[in-house]
Amino acid sequence: MIRLLCILIGYIFGLFQTGYIYGKFKGIDIREHGSGNAGTTNALRTLGTKAGIITFVGDCFKCVLAVVTVRLIFSGEYGDIKPLLTVYTGLGVVLGHNYPFYLKFRGGKGIASTAGLILTLDPFLSLIALATFGAAVGITKYVSLGSLLLAAEFLVGVIIYGFLGRWNLSQPQLIEMYIVVAVITVMVFFRHRRNIKSLVKGTERKIGEKSSKS
C-alpha cells in the first residue's frame, strides 16, 4: 500500500508540465511543434534556451519536491526503506510527466524527472549521470543519446551501489529496487524509440540543426 501511495504522490507532482505551461504563456501548445512532446529538448528547440532551462529545472525539481514530500510523510515509520520509497516516488513522477491524464496522456520523455530522482537518491550518482550526459552530448551533439546513456548509467549505478551495500536494504528489497529502476529505464528507452531508430539510421537531429521533427 505504501508503495502505491508513493507512486500516486509522484504521479500528482509529475502532472506539472513545465514545458506545456511555459508554452501556454507564450501562446502555443508546445506539443503541436517540433517533436510533439512537452519535454526539455522540444522546449529548447521550439522556444529557445531560456525555455529549455526553465523546463528542465521545473521537471527536475518536481521530482525532488515529490521525494521530499514522501520523506516528510513516511520517513518516521518507513525510514529503513527510504531508497526504495524514493524510486517508487520517482516512478510515479515519470509516469505523471510522460502520461498526464489531463493532456490526453501526451507529455514528455522523462529525462529531467529521472535526473531529479537521481539527485535525490544520491548526489554522487547524479554527478556521474550529469558527466555521462554532458560527455555524450558534447562529443556527438545528440541529446537523445545522452539521455539514453543517463538512464542506462542510472540503472547500472543503482545495481553497483546495491552490491556495495550502500542502500542498506534486504536482498528482496534490493531486487525490488532494481526492478523499479529498470522499469524507469525501460520507459525512457520506450519514449525514445523514434530517436533510437533515427540514431541507427543516422538521421537523428543534432543540437542546432533545423527540422520540424526530432
Side-chain angles (χ1 to χ4, degrees):
M1 186 63 178
I2 182 65
R3 291 157 173 79
L4 290 177
L5 284 174
C6 288
I7 292 175
L8 178 60
I9 291 171
Y11 185 85
I12 292 171
F13 275 86
L15 293 175
F16 185 86
Q17 296 288 316
T18 312
Y20 175 79
I21 294 170
Y22 187 91
K24 281 298 183 181
F25 275 113
K26 295 296 183 178
I28 69 168
D29 182 343
I30 194 175
R31 300 168 307 149
E32 303 303 324
H33 299 267
S35 63
N37 75 81
T40 299
T41 302
N42 200 36
L44 174 67
R45 288 172 173 167
T46 303
L47 295 170
T49 302
K50 180 181 177 181
I53 293 173
I54 291 174
T55 301
F56 178 83
V57 171
D59 289 343
C60 175
F61 279 91
K62 69 186 179 187
C63 188
V64 174
L65 291 174
V67 171
V68 169
T69 299
V70 164
R71 289 177 179 176
L72 287 174
I73 297 173
F74 301 117
S75 61
E77 187 175 358
Y78 298 97
D80 57 326
I81 58 170
K82 183 172 69 173
L84 187 57
L85 298 188
T86 296
V87 296
Y88 270 106
T89 305
L91 172 61
V93 175
V94 173
L95 284 169
H97 177 76
N98 290 357
Y99 306 105
F101 72 90
Y102 68 99
L103 295 178
K104 298 181 180 179
F105 303 99
R106 290 178 57 202
K109 296 181 180 179
I111 289 301
S113 297
T114 301
L117 171 58
I118 302 172
L119 179 63
T120 57
L121 194 61
D122 186 86
F124 183 69
L125 275 184
S126 70
L127 288 175
I128 297 175
L130 179 62
T132 300
F133 176 85
V137 175
I139 294 170
T140 68
K141 307 302 180 185
Y142 291 128
V143 174
S144 57
L145 179 60
S147 300
L148 293 168
L149 290 176
L150 179 147
E153 182 277 327
F154 177 37
L155 176 59
V156 172
V158 165
I159 293 174
I160 290 175
Y161 266 39
F163 278 113
L164 295 176
R166 294 288 297 275
W167 303 125
N168 295 316
L169 297 171
S170 67
Q171 191 61 32
Q173 291 168 345
L174 269 179
I175 294 174
E176 186 179 353
M177 185 176 182
Y178 299 157
I179 291 172
V180 175
V181 175
V183 168
I184 294 172
T185 302
V186 169
M187 285 173 58
V188 169
F189 274 73
F190 177 75
R191 294 292 286 176
H192 283 81
R193 60 193 183 281
R194 189 173 67 182
N195 302 92
I196 293 172
K197 290 179 181 179
S198 297
L199 285 168
V200 172
K201 293 178 180 178
T203 58
E204 177 72 349
R205 283 182 64 187
K206 294 184 178 182
I207 295 176
E209 285 186 355
K210 303 293 183 181
S211 174
S212 60
K213 296 290 181 181
S214 71

